[in-house]
Amino acid sequence: MWSGDDIYFMQLALQEAEMADRLDEVPVGAVLVSEGALLGRGHNQPVKLNDPTAHAEILALRSAGAWTKNYRLTGATLYVTLEPCLMCFGALIHARVGRVVFGATDPKVGVSRWLDTLEGAALNHRFEFQGGLLEPDCRTQIQAFFKRRR
C-alpha cells in the first residue's frame, strides 16, 4: 500500500516532530512534497511562536508557499505524523493539496471524526486522505512526550 517514497517522506516528518519535541512542543512534524521534491517542512511551534495556528501542517504550507512563491500547492502531498485538525484541514483545502498522508490518528481533535459531516459540504476542493503510515513510530513519539510531561 505504501511506496518507498511515502515511507521516506514520513521519516522526514518524524525528524521534524523530533525538532518540536526538543523545543518542548507537542511532537508533530510535516513535510510537503510535489513530484518527489521537498517543497516545505514544519514542526509544531505554537508555544515558541505565541501563535495558535503554528501547527506543523500550517508551517509546512507557509514554507512551501514561500519557496514556490505561490499559495496554491496544487497536487502536492503532505506527510504529517498526526492526523490534521479541522483548522489544518481547511488550510489544506485552500492550498489545493492533492493528498494528505498521516501517521497516528487523533481521536480528540482529528478531522476524521468530521469527515461524514463534511462530505455533504460544498467544499471547493477535495483531496485524498490516508492514515496509518508508520503509525507505531508516530504514536510512540507523541505518547513518550506526554508521558514525560505527567
Side-chain angles (χ1 to χ4, degrees):
M1 173 175 174
W2 302 112
S3 73
D5 283 349
D6 288 334
I7 293 166
Y8 172 75
F9 289 119
M10 185 60 83
Q11 288 171 334
L12 290 182
L14 280 162
Q15 290 174 12
E16 285 293 318
E18 178 61 33
M19 288 186 226
D21 198 3
R22 282 190 229 126
L23 295 171
D24 205 27
E25 299 272 6
V26 176
V28 179
V31 297
L32 196 72
V33 177
S34 183
E35 298 178 7
L38 182 63
L39 299 180
R41 54 192 331 152
H43 51 274
N44 270 5
Q45 296 185 68
V47 175
K48 179 182 180 200
L49 299 177
N50 297 306
D51 179 355
T53 69
H55 290 194
E57 300 94 325
I58 300 295
L59 296 178
L61 287 170
R62 288 177 184 165
S63 173
W67 175 255
T68 62
K69 297 188 180 5
N70 194 340
Y71 74 103
R72 296 280 195 223
L73 301 161
T74 306
T77 298
L78 179 87
Y79 295 89
V80 61
T81 59
L82 185 65
E83 177 185 0
C85 70
L86 197 53
M87 174 188 70
C88 292
F89 184 81
L92 294 162
I93 289 171
H94 288 293
R96 304 287 199 272
V97 298
R99 181 175 174 228
V100 173
V101 177
F102 65 90
T105 58
D106 186 344
K108 290 185 180 178
V109 298
V111 74
S112 290
R113 62 186 284 195
W114 301 105
L115 289 180
D116 289 341
T117 304
L118 294 171
E119 191 62 38
L123 301 176
N124 60 353
H125 178 72
R126 298 191 186 277
F127 50 78
E128 189 178 344
F129 194 66
Q130 301 171 290
L133 177 58
L134 300 183
E135 189 274 337
D137 296 330
C138 296
R139 181 160 313 286
T140 298
Q141 191 174 44
I142 290 170
Q143 287 175 338
F145 172 82
F146 284 110
K147 186 176 182 181
R148 284 192 315 272
R149 303 235 354 185
R150 288 188 197 126

